[in-house]
Amino acid sequence: MGRLLVVLVALGLAAGGCRRSSEAPGTGGRTRIVFKFQPLWGDPKPFRELLARYEQANPDVELVTEALPNASDLAHQFFLTSLQGGATDFDVLVADVVWVPEFARAGWVADLTEDFPPARLREEFLPGPVDAVVMDGRTYAVPWFVDVGVLYYRTDLVPRAPRTYEELRRFTRDAMAKTPGLQGYVWQGRQYEGLTCNVYEALWGHGGQSLGPDGRVLLETEPAREALAYLHGLIADGLSPPTVTGFGEEEARRVFQEGRAVFMRNWPYAWREAQAEGSLIRGKVGIAPLPTKDGQPGWGTLGGWQLAVNAHVSPLRRKAAARLIAHLTSPEANRVLALHYARNPPRLALYDDPVLRAEEPFIASLKDALVRARPRPVTPYYLLIADVLQSEFSAAVAGLRTPEESLARAQKQVDHLTGEQPEEAR
Amino acid sequence: MPSVVVLAVVALYPVLAAVWLSLHRFILVFGERRFTGLANYAYLLGDARFGSALGNTVYFTAVAVAVELLLAVPLAVLLNRAFPGRGLLRASVLVPWAIPTVVSARLWAWMFNPDSGLINRLLGGAEINWLGAPGYALHAAILVDVWKTTPFVALLVLAGLQGIPEDLYKAARVDGASPWRQFRSITLPLLKPALLLAVLFRSLDAFRVFDAIYVLTEGGPANTTETLSIYAYKTLMRSGDFGYGSTLAVATFLGVVLLAAVWLKWLGREEARE
């Protein structure tokens, strides 16, 4: 059956558009390392210069970049099949926040603890991203840029940003009563990962935690029930349009940007579009932490990408790869990514950087939200259970099942997948 | 003999490999792989998600194929008439079928957009949540499938129509049979083999439906559009659970085999009767 895997791996590589090569020596005795990542949107020049500076500083290394498909799902499939097959044709890879524990447990990404000790990461980086890359006191990746869920509101329709769920509901109801045809609160309710982020934000806002004390993925809890009931209630009470069950980020943004909604939950990228020349809501948009049940600032879901090293490559290449990661996550690189690609830096110090504060005040203003950003359950099982969470959360939000039923079904499937109930193991 | 070898390699090996994998707990990211016999199948029988995926698949297949047949027969009768521009019409009805499914599904996803999509606008500003509401989403997917494959079914039926000797109709007209009577007593019975063939092709295809639905909804909301193929794909490729994913693939395969056996038996009986 090994042959079937080889075929799958070959297919994966073909889909990625690259050829499998064994340790190809670089030209002129230099070590050749390959950096595999999704192209950043925008002018490629500043990033190319950043990479060139690494080569200048490391004359013994020849750096090659290879593009990944620009969809998280497809990139994950590529890494799943090629790393499982022991591929050595790339050295540095980008990983979504939820992949790192999975890849680390599988032994596919190298232990970077020596080059990036957790204590130093905790000092220099935002807490959420560090939690996502450190497992059992060992470092498996370094945060590259970060993202967080935030609340957008219309400054001309509501007095201020709501702090509690009750305020959010009241403000929405008042604004809708004054303006006929206006929609209330738009968010991401389609069956996909964005929905899971929204549900976890509501769960934390109701005082819940992602994992139980023993590290188990706990779903049958009171905060989880309240979170699903709250999200479904928004739709049932007409405060969110019924169509949010088909919304992703862009669908929500379109409605909000056309001035047809009071509130929106989204990632910071929507800010630029909302404030762009010709936007219908330019100058009428505020951004705030998500509300919570008791009024303290909410916890947004952590998103973003990390850099890791392929565990299958030789020690020599591994060293060069670690140096590349150090370069790409340096304060200088953080600044390049923020100024030219609007990617939020994971390094705390950057938020006090005068250049960044002057040129990209919006990015700098996200610090408070980012400090409170939380990762989805940090567990090697995450991608195994993500599908279950999406479908059961979707059923509860769409009102097909009660929160209790959905959570009980989800818990049963999750426990089965994670092997929590060995008597049921298949 | 060489043909048997080729068949064994390209058809039998992947099937046997999937069956063998389905007898394991085999999760890619854990490097975990152990033989568990029929445990995956035991879990399958109690898996509510499998039940709903099977239900969705059967419903999708039955409704889509039935509607396609109902639309294709009149369309084929029309195309069989002699009228100016017939060649052009015959060619142009195939356009939906010629567009790659992924492209047309993306197109339909835009048209189904509840706020700005064409469909709700055509319905006079209705606010139907096509892809986000359970109950609607699967029917939206059926609509896309009907739009795409009715021309193909019509063409199969047309081929059947052209095999009916014109003399029969002449004789019927001499006897004073009405057009409806001619259709019921001559066209339909003689068309039966062609219709059965179309049903065979289409239902086997529909039972494995993946691309159109995946692009439209990814199986949501609440898995109400998740078919067996989508469940198997997600389990295999997204979660890397090769053991249970293979079990689902084998179950889908068995469904297709069963369907094919039933239709072929029926088809054989029809031909024996002639």
Side-chain angles (χ1 to χ4, degrees):
Chain A
M1 265 355 82
R3 260 184 294 167
L4 179 72
L5 273 182
V6 170
V7 170
L8 281 169
V9 169
L11 282 174
L13 288 171
C18 72
R19 223 167 295 120
R20 168 187 269 273
S21 59
S22 55
E23 304 250 325
T27 47
R30 293 191 294 171
T31 311
R32 182 176 186 270
I33 67 166
V34 178
F35 175 34
K36 203 138 182 86
F37 72 110
Q38 286 108 328
L40 297 160
W41 291 28
D43 178 13
K45 224 175 110 209
F47 189 66
R48 242 184 261 146
E49 283 168 7
L50 184 68
L51 292 174
R53 280 200 284 284
Y54 167 79
E55 275 203 309
Q56 281 155 22
N58 296 275
D60 56 320
V61 180
E62 183 195 351
L63 177 63
V64 180
T65 55
E66 276 176 10
L68 273 174
N70 218 334
S72 187
D73 260 9
L74 295 178
H76 181 255
Q77 264 171 40
F78 169 80
F79 287 130
L80 200 67
T81 44
S82 60
L83 288 172
Q84 202 279 336
T88 56
D89 48 4
F90 55 91
D91 304 83
V92 175
L93 59 135
V94 291
D96 202 342
V97 270
V98 287
W99 306 350
V100 181
E102 178 191 39
F103 288 3
R105 149 104 199 238
W108 295 344
V109 290
D111 186 336
L112 301 174
T113 311
E114 269 178 44
D115 298 277
F116 307 93
R120 208 180 78 212
L121 288 185
R122 285 199 195 285
E123 238 166 66
E124 297 173 359
F125 287 81
L126 292 156
V130 178
D131 285 342
V133 298
V134 174
M135 259 74 50
D136 303 323
R138 317 288 302 172
T139 307
Y140 291 96
V142 185
W144 195 26
F145 51 80
V146 293
D147 215 353
V148 62
V150 287
L151 182 75
Y152 290 80
Y153 64 100
R154 286 280 299 279
T155 49
D156 56 331
L157 296 176
V158 294
R160 58 175 168 80
R163 294 194 192 97
T164 63
Y165 293 132
E166 210 26 70
E167 272 182 356
L168 177 93
R169 299 171 66 102
R170 199 175 69 230
F171 289 177
T172 307
R173 209 173 288 129
D174 291 350
M176 287 173 82
K178 268 184 229 145
T179 319
L182 191 68
Q183 300 186 355
Y185 175 33
V186 290
W187 40 283
Q188 292 80 43
R190 187 156 62 85
Q191 182 177 336
Y192 81 122
E193 197 53 21
L195 171 64
T196 310
C197 296
N198 278 263
V199 172
Y200 267 98
E201 281 159 359
L203 185 151
W204 297 322
H206 283 91
Q209 298 292 330
S210 321
L211 297 174
D214 50 354
R216 178 177 167 215
V217 178
L218 261 189
L219 291 162
E220 282 186 287
T221 63
E222 192 49 36
R225 269 189 283 275
E226 285 179 32
L228 289 177
Y230 158 70
L231 289 174
H232 174 62
L234 289 171
I235 301 171
D237 299 344
L239 299 174
S240 291
T243 47
V244 289
T245 53
F247 276 14
E249 283 89 0
E250 275 299 276
E251 284 85 357
R253 187 182 68 79
R254 211 167 299 134
V255 171
F256 188 72
Q257 187 141 357
E258 285 169 5
R260 293 190 284 131
V262 188
F263 293 109
M264 169 176 73
R265 181 272 175 205
N266 216 322
W267 307 95
Y269 85 96
W271 175 263
R272 230 164 238 259
E273 316 270 343
Q275 293 292 11
E277 200 89 41
S279 158
L280 289 166
I281 50 168
R282 189 183 160 118
K284 295 187 226 165
V285 189
I287 189 165
L290 293 156
T292 54
K293 190 180 175 188
D294 60 10
Q296 56 179 318
W299 296 270
T301 304
L302 176 76
W305 293 81
Q306 339 293 318
L307 297 175
V309 176
N310 181 351
H312 305 310
V313 300
S314 66
L316 191 69
R317 283 168 61 182
R318 204 185 273 201
K319 278 216 184 75
R323 285 204 305 263
L324 176 63
I325 292 183
H327 176 73
L328 287 174
T329 59
S330 66
E332 182 213 352
N334 268 201
R335 193 186 293 124
V336 169
L337 256 58
L339 294 181
H340 298 281
Y341 305 98
R343 306 289 187 162
N344 260 87
R347 280 182 180 274
L348 283 161
L350 256 288
Y351 291 89
D352 300 319
D353 182 81
V355 180
L356 187 69
R357 293 180 74 110
E359 288 188 25
E360 286 286 350
F362 175 69
I363 291 219
S365 76
L366 288 171
K367 185 188 176 186
D368 291 341
L370 281 162
V371 167
R372 295 176 73 82
R374 280 186 181 168
R376 282 153 277 168
V378 177
T379 155
Y381 300 96
Y382 187 76
L383 280 134
L384 215 52
I385 66 175
D387 220 34
V388 173
L389 298 185
Q390 287 171 17
S391 53
E392 293 304 330
F393 289 167
S394 169
V397 165
L400 211 65
R401 286 193 270 283
T402 64
E404 285 80 4
E405 282 171 331
S406 292
L407 290 167
R409 284 170 58 119
Q411 187 78 63
K412 193 177 151 230
Q413 294 173 69
V414 165
D415 287 347
H416 172 76
L417 287 168
T418 55
E420 280 288 337
Q421 285 162 320
E423 71 271 16
E424 265 192 12
R426 37 172 205 258
Chain B
M1 243 3 178
S3 61
V4 175
V5 174
V6 170
L7 264 181
V9 170
V10 301
L12 205 59
Y13 173 73
V15 173
L16 290 181
V19 171
W20 179 242
L21 276 174
S22 74
L23 303 176
H24 291 76
R25 178 177 166 95
F26 183 10
I27 296 176
L28 213 51
V29 291
F30 297 160
E32 183 181 339
R33 175 153 183 208
R34 56 169 205 272
F35 185 83
T36 50
L38 293 172
N40 280 336
Y41 290 91
Y43 182 76
L44 183 93
L45 294 178
D47 182 1
R49 193 169 160 192
F50 171 73
S52 83
L54 180 65
N56 292 338
T57 309
V58 170
Y59 184 81
F60 177 88
T61 305
V63 176
V65 174
V67 174
E68 281 157 21
L69 223 52
L70 281 177
L71 293 177
V73 173
L75 187 63
V77 170
L78 188 76
L79 288 175
N80 199 26
R81 295 253 170 90
F83 59 87
R86 181 171 73 165
L88 189 72
L89 188 68
R90 276 188 187 175
S92 59
V93 291
L94 272 177
V95 167
W97 189 66
I99 297 174
T101 312
V102 175
V103 176
S104 61
R106 197 63 244 157
L107 220 76
W108 278 92
W110 284 324
M111 295 203 283
F112 279 128
N113 184 303
D115 279 315
S116 47
L118 184 67
I119 311 251
N120 276 354
R121 232 178 268 172
L122 286 180
L123 293 174
E127 287 185 358
I128 298 172
N129 186 10
W130 286 102
L131 299 178
Y136 279 101
L138 190 59
H139 291 102
I142 289 175
L143 188 65
V144 174
D145 193 69
V146 167
W147 174 81
K148 182 186 159 64
T149 46
T150 300
F152 172 70
V153 180
L155 226 62
L156 285 178
V157 177
L158 183 61
L161 279 178
Q162 291 182 335
I164 302 175
E166 189 54 31
D167 295 353
L168 289 175
Y169 292 104
K170 276 188 194 145
R173 275 196 294 273
V174 168
D175 290 342
S178 66
W180 173 241
R181 186 64 210 262
Q182 290 174 33
F183 178 76
R184 277 200 43 204
S185 305
I186 303 171
T187 313
L188 220 46
L190 291 179
L191 210 50
K192 220 167 172 184
L195 290 177
L196 274 171
L197 200 71
V199 168
L200 171 76
F201 279 4
R202 281 299 306 136
S203 55
L204 295 191
D205 231 18
F207 199 81
R208 296 170 309 186
V209 64
F210 174 80
D211 38 9
I213 298 185
Y214 194 76
V215 171
L216 284 171
T217 62
E218 282 184 58
N223 283 347
T224 50
T225 58
E226 184 171 83
T227 60
L228 290 175
S229 296
I230 291 179
Y231 188 17
Y233 166 79
K234 284 183 172 177
T235 309
L236 268 165
M237 299 314 294
R238 274 210 198 159
S239 310
D241 185 347
F242 273 40
Y244 194 56
S246 300
T247 311
L248 292 167
V250 170
T252 312
F253 173 72
L254 289 179
V256 171
V257 168
L258 196 73
L259 211 55
V262 170
W263 289 131
L264 283 175
K265 198 166 177 196
W266 202 341
L267 207 61
R269 218 169 52 200
E270 282 303 314
E271 270 163 11
R273 206 182 283 163
E274 274 169 29

